[in-house]
Amino acid sequence: MSLADELLADLESDDDITPDEPQPEQPFPTSIASKLTETDVKVDSIRQLAKLRDSPIVQKVTSQIEKYGKIARKCSDIIGPVESDPEYQLIVEANNLAVEIDSEIATIHRFTTSKYSKRFPELESLVVEHLEYLMTVRELGNDLDKAKNNEILQQFLTQATIMVVTVTASTTQGQLLTPTELNAVNEACDMAIELNNLKQRIYEYVESRMAFIAPNLSAIVGASTAAKLMGVAGGLTKLSKMPSCNILLLGARKTTLSGFSQVTALPHTGFIYYSKIVQDAPQDVRRKASRLVAAKSTLAARVDACHDSTDGHIGQQFREEIEKKLDKMLEPPPVKFAKPLPKPIDPGRKKRGGKRVRKMKERYAITEFRKQANRMNFADIETDAYQEDLGYTRGTIGKSGAGRIRMPQVDEKTKVRISKTLQKNLQKQQQWGGSTTVKKQISGTASSIAFTPLQGLEIVNPQAAEKKVNEANAKYFSNTSGFFKVKKT
């Protein structure tokens, strides 16, 4: 399948979509023409449908615009309310006329499509805008080969649209128009172009008078954009009653890319988006800037509708606020320095107390015997406890204090309650003498006076314990003792 066949298939699929009716409040109706009626097909001349160009209201407004356009006026020239000024009434009528012109162009577009679809039926879906369609029809006529390298089409159509129109025109199945039909189509196109020129003249006049009609709105978006907004909305009063989200969409145009990429398409962009204050901002912040300008424009239109701030100082304040906010958006982010982490706050944890915890600590507490086994004396040669396990020693067991292996168990409860002075005395007793009367006496080393933690000074006989030990040794370990005879039972 060739490129032309593919484009033709896409166009045939697009023809199944039912278009919407054009909105009368938009300067350029963006929707595709509605279904054709039998009346539109039977009418031979556009003058039977479109009668606005030859109406008295157009002639009246045109003559008054020429009259007042030569007079330079200021806000101070208005005496009394601005609604009573005749030029303000002319501006309101001119804005209403601009809206009617858009409706008239939509009617002409519907008539032209009904006639020209015989020659080029695919053109309606390729060129969506009404005025662009009419200008393209006026340029092409019966000779569709004019679409190739046409400089006039390049003035109002994009290169992509021209290429699609050229390719589709080479494969269209349309028939040639008769001279009568071609004259009717050309007359309709000429009428639409004349009405569009009249609308441009109205906009230029309203723009020149915006300084005393809407000074605050003009200070924000400019006189040209303010005039377009008022013309689309139908006057300053109607514009002031619209919310900012609707004002943002005034002037939005629908585009058909006909199979091309939609990355560069900008939906929901109207007059405000293409105003100078928004276009001066970078590309990435224009959406935010347009919403901000629309919000301030709504407030400025309401101020102008109430006839306050005739010198436009409120609008100038709004513009300064917009510029400050845009500058704030464009500021680079602050430089982040690598800071060390602060000292962590480690609050004291709650520990479980009570009898159960104290019992557990006593059960798993290290004993005095284990403490002595883990200690070592300085500059003391250790001997191995077992020959097969080299390096294992008993520490200071039996080397400190009374020299006994069995050390007294220390109660943790009572140990805490003993004063420091008494603890020092106990340590001295373990170094220089026995601490009890019988159990801790050693032969030849104990004194007759012993210090005890309970009774204080105590007089003892150290030889009594030694005598008992000697008697036991003489009985069992004497050199002269013999074997004992054990009687059988």
Side-chain angles (χ1 to χ4, degrees), residues 43-79:
V43 172
D44 296 331
S45 176
I46 187 60
R47 296 181 181 274
Q48 300 178 9
L49 294 176
K51 301 180 181 180
L52 180 63
R53 189 186 64 173
D54 301 330
S55 62
I57 185 65
V58 173
Q59 298 177 1
K60 175 184 175 183
V61 171
T62 304
S63 60
Q64 290 185 354
I65 287 177
E66 293 178 356
K67 175 183 176 182
Y68 286 101
K70 300 177 182 179
I71 303 174
R73 300 186 63 184
K74 299 181 181 179
C75 296
S76 58
D77 298 338
I78 301 176
I79 301 175

Side-chain angles (χ1 to χ4, degrees), residues 185-201:
V185 170
N186 292 336
E187 183 184 8
C189 295
D190 293 338
M191 182 182 292
I193 294 173
E194 291 179 7
L195 290 175
N196 182 69
N197 294 334
L198 176 61
K199 185 178 67 173
Q200 296 300 327
R201 289 179 55 192

